[in-house]
Amino acid sequence: MRLLIVEDDAEAAAYLTKAFREAGHVADHAGDGLEGYAMAEGGGYDVLVVDRMLPRLDGLSLIRSLREQKDATPALILSALAQVDDRVKGLRAGGDDYLPKPYAFSELLARVEVLARRRGAPASEPTTYRVGDLDLDRLAHRVTRGGTEILLQPREFRLLEYLMKHAGQVVTRTMLLENVWDYHFDPQTNVIDVHVSRLRAKVDKGFEHPMIHTIRGAGYMVRDTAR
């Protein structure tokens, strides 16, 4: 699963991120409501784990805003507010589940997995991809080429992950829009070209053999041309 944890408590966020990754899932973190909203809106996550009391934009408003944008990503709310009225407000704001603090991680994990199954998330995917000397670790959110780490922004990471997942295959513009940007229409912008160009500059610059190729009139492909 690909999870987004929206939690302003740095210690709690680090614990959850580590625990979910150790359970075999990909976990990203946002430290406030506005950052969480921006990441959730374009992140393609299977489940959101959202703290209710957040700076800049509270958890219920975050979820409510996503629902207004027709984003149905399952959201589990974490909160110290445990009264029935509090839980009802969370569910009515668009939350799919509500877990009062303190909680056991095993219960949180079970609830998140149930939400993902309901949505039809894939049971399991490889946690690493390798094409030639290019390696991507989904759990560590780390990319290296020839042993040198490459720092990518979240969207660049998702773009490279999708291209590497389909290494040796042509990935069309429509496939990228739907699976990396979650658009089910063509916004008629050059957003893909810009991101591919930035990604290519980071992944291929300084190396003899390029990994990211433009297939004219079709799309893009990651392949190892060194062999």
Side-chain angles (χ1 to χ4, degrees):
M1 289 184 294
R2 178 184 289 276
L3 309 172
L4 174 62
I5 300 163
V6 190
E7 169 63 75
D8 62 314
D9 184 315
E11 185 176 348
Y15 168 74
L16 288 176
T17 301
K18 181 175 183 291
F20 277 118
R21 289 176 177 172
E22 288 177 346
H25 304 300
V26 177
D28 294 334
H29 170 238
D32 63 61
L34 285 182
E35 182 185 10
Y37 176 77
M39 291 178 67
E41 190 178 32
Y45 294 99
D46 296 311
V47 179
L48 311 177
V49 178
V50 182
D51 185 61
R52 180 167 178 167
M53 306 299 289
L54 294 168
R56 301 179 71 199
L57 183 70
D58 69 88
L60 300 193
S61 296
L62 185 162
I63 294 170
R64 190 179 294 112
S65 297
L66 289 173
R67 299 300 182 247
E68 289 173 355
Q69 297 300 317
K70 310 303 181 185
D71 187 326
T73 305
L76 183 148
I77 300 166
L78 298 176
S79 178
L81 302 175
Q83 298 301 312
V84 172
D85 287 348
D86 298 318
R87 298 199 298 271
V88 168
K89 286 179 182 177
L91 296 173
R92 285 182 172 169
D96 297 275
D97 200 355
Y98 194 107
L99 185 59
K101 301 177 181 179
Y103 54 84
F105 177 74
S106 57
E107 180 181 1
L108 173 60
L109 177 61
R111 288 172 179 264
V112 166
E113 289 175 341
V114 167
L115 291 178
R117 285 200 301 272
R118 288 177 183 170
R119 197 184 190 215
S124 62
E125 290 186 26
T127 58
T128 60
Y129 294 111
R130 166 172 283 187
V131 180
D133 61 354
L134 179 64
D135 293 277
L136 182 147
D137 187 323
R138 298 174 63 234
L139 300 184
H141 217 269
R142 187 170 184 265
V143 174
T144 61
R145 183 164 184 191
T148 301
E149 184 169 5
I150 300 171
L151 300 179
L152 300 179
Q153 296 298 318
R155 183 78 68 180
E156 294 168 345
F157 186 91
R158 287 197 62 211
L159 176 58
L160 181 61
E161 177 185 348
Y162 192 78
L163 289 170
M164 292 183 71
K165 179 179 180 180
H166 298 277
Q169 305 171 23
V170 175
V171 175
T172 68
R173 178 186 179 88
T174 298
M175 291 168 67
L176 291 175
L177 286 171
E178 290 185 349
N179 292 280
V180 178
W181 275 267
D182 295 305
Y183 290 156
H184 294 281
F185 63 95
D186 189 339
Q188 299 298 317
T189 70
N190 65 343
V191 62
I192 291 178
D193 304 313
V194 169
H195 278 79
V196 169
S197 177
R198 290 175 181 169
L199 183 61
R200 184 177 274 138
K202 294 183 178 182
V203 170
D204 288 337
K205 186 176 181 179
F207 292 91
E208 181 180 358
H209 302 285
M211 284 287 182
I212 303 173
H213 304 269
T214 300
I215 310 301
R216 190 175 299 276
Y220 301 95
M221 180 188 297
V222 163
R223 69 168 181 260
D224 182 13
T225 56
R227 293 182 298 175

